[in-house]
Amino acid sequence: MFKGVDVGGTFIKVLWEDGRREKHYIKDIKHDRGRLLTKITEVVREGNPSGVGLAVAGFTSAEGKVFRSPNIPSLDGVDMAGLFGDIPVAVGNDVTLGAYGEWFYDYRDSKVLVLVAVGTGLGGGLVVDGKPFLGAGGSAMEIGHHTIVEGGAFCSCGRKGCWEAYCSSYGLERIYRELGGEEATDREIAERASRGEEKALEAVKVFREHLLVGLSNVVHILNPDRIVLAGGVLEGLKALLGDLEGDLKERVEDLPARDLKLSFSRSGEFMGARGALAFILSKSSEYMS
Ligand SMILES: [Zn+2]
């Protein structure tokens, strides 16, 4: 049996082909490379799977090497594909594989699917004609770091004005502070906005405006027929964002607007593991055919 494994900053999540799910807490060992790799190897090998899809948060090459993982720095430089002996393992970026899972399980009719995940950071994934688009080396769709405000706010990557600097948990928190709101988490801001607090509502409005700027850029560059929104921050704000699809269509050219549909992911916190499972299932059928 196959399984998908998603290595994030707090948990390793596992989804088996028969629907079984597991969560392994790793936040306490994630800065200890030796213990972390031992744990990942154990989780991957456990149950003697026929093959494993492995999603990793960070810049991961198509061959399975982690170049840089801002969330899990102890994985920097690790060749993940070489760790597991004879078990076939296919490695990829968590959001890219998450996008593949969206296509594989929910949107097979989509020709160009874009996933935008907004949580601690902002990640993107792209599936074209049923294949995950990886770029030349595996790092395509780092759309969180495309500039939407020249010389704008600082981003976690060290650059200024990135989309993520506005549309992420820390981006929303900063916007709220700049409007005179007191220190609060993204969840607290969402909650205050739904209670009608003025500064929180204003912060959500500014966040939404930046979200639409980035999405318009994505639409004009890629002409997707499906944009899927995901991630904890967007989930938390969902009820406050209004008609995003309608407003996005009004901002872009008529032709890319014609085929565009926008929806929220239904896959929840196992999105990466589900995508990793879909990825290894499709790879293994490629090997067999
Ligand atoms: Zn950035």
Side-chain angles (χ1 to χ4, degrees):
M1 199 185 296
F2 292 91
K3 66 179 176 183
V5 175
D6 178 17
V7 181
T10 309
F11 290 101
I12 302 176
K13 291 173 191 154
V14 180
L15 178 65
W16 286 87
E17 225 180 327
D18 63 5
R20 270 180 295 145
R21 294 166 172 216
E22 302 160 18
K23 271 166 93 169
H24 303 266
Y25 187 74
I26 52 161
K27 202 171 182 179
D28 53 341
I29 58 164
K30 78 169 185 177
H31 295 295
D32 182 335
R33 179 186 292 221
R35 286 179 68 195
L36 180 61
L37 292 181
T38 304
K39 180 73 186 172
I40 293 172
T41 308
E42 265 173 34
V43 172
V44 166
R45 298 188 66 93
E46 194 272 320
N48 197 26
S50 326
V52 177
L54 184 61
V56 182
F59 293 89
T60 306
S61 77
E63 302 78 37
K65 184 174 168 184
V66 180
F67 273 70
R68 188 161 85 88
S69 175
N71 262 322
I72 323 165
S74 60
L75 290 182
D76 289 2
V78 173
D79 175 12
M80 300 296 280
L83 288 176
F84 311 107
D86 52 358
I87 295 179
V89 176
V91 186
N93 168 270
D94 57 344
V95 187
T96 295
L97 296 192
Y100 186 61
E102 293 295 321
W103 179 84
F104 192 87
Y105 290 105
D106 291 333
Y107 299 112
R108 288 277 177 115
D109 59 340
S110 169
K111 189 173 163 56
V112 179
L113 179 148
V114 172
L115 172 67
V116 177
V118 181
T120 317
L122 192 159
L126 171 65
V127 181
V128 180
D129 293 327
K131 290 205 157 55
F133 184 80
L134 303 174
S139 85
M141 290 299 284
E142 287 293 341
I143 47 177
H145 306 291
H146 90 281
T147 307
I148 60 164
V149 179
E150 194 185 351
F154 269 111
C155 179
S156 69
C157 70
R159 297 175 186 86
K160 278 180 163 185
C162 296
W163 197 13
E164 181 185 299
Y166 301 87
C167 294
S168 59
S169 56
Y170 71 88
L172 177 63
E173 289 158 12
R174 196 202 62 253
I175 292 168
Y176 183 61
R177 281 196 308 274
E178 284 173 359
L179 289 164
E182 61 195 51
E183 202 74 30
T185 66
D186 63 289
R187 278 168 197 227
E188 289 163 348
I189 297 165
E191 196 189 301
R192 286 172 197 188
S194 47
R195 285 203 312 261
E197 191 207 275
E198 214 167 299
K199 280 170 190 158
L201 282 169
E202 186 59 28
V204 173
K205 203 171 142 195
V206 174
F207 173 96
R208 185 182 194 273
E209 179 57 31
H210 287 105
L211 183 65
L212 282 168
V213 170
L215 289 174
S216 313
N217 294 342
V218 167
V219 169
H220 281 141
I221 294 168
L222 295 169
N223 184 198
D225 52 22
R226 172 70 60 179
I227 295 179
V228 182
L229 301 177
V233 172
L234 286 178
E235 280 297 323
L237 295 175
K238 200 168 162 181
L240 297 159
L241 293 173
D243 182 13
L244 275 178
E245 183 184 292
D247 289 354
L248 179 57
K249 284 188 174 200
E250 266 180 30
R251 281 169 187 240
V252 298
E253 284 290 327
D254 290 345
L255 181 55
R258 186 189 66 185
D259 303 314
L260 178 64
K261 289 196 182 67
L262 182 139
S263 48
F264 280 84
S265 170
R266 299 190 287 262
S267 59
E269 61 170 342
F270 280 80
M271 186 175 73
R274 187 178 80 149
L277 175 60
F279 193 49
I280 189 68
L281 286 173
S282 67
K283 286 260 176 200
S284 61
S285 63
E286 263 170 44
Y287 296 144
M288 282 185 257
S289 60

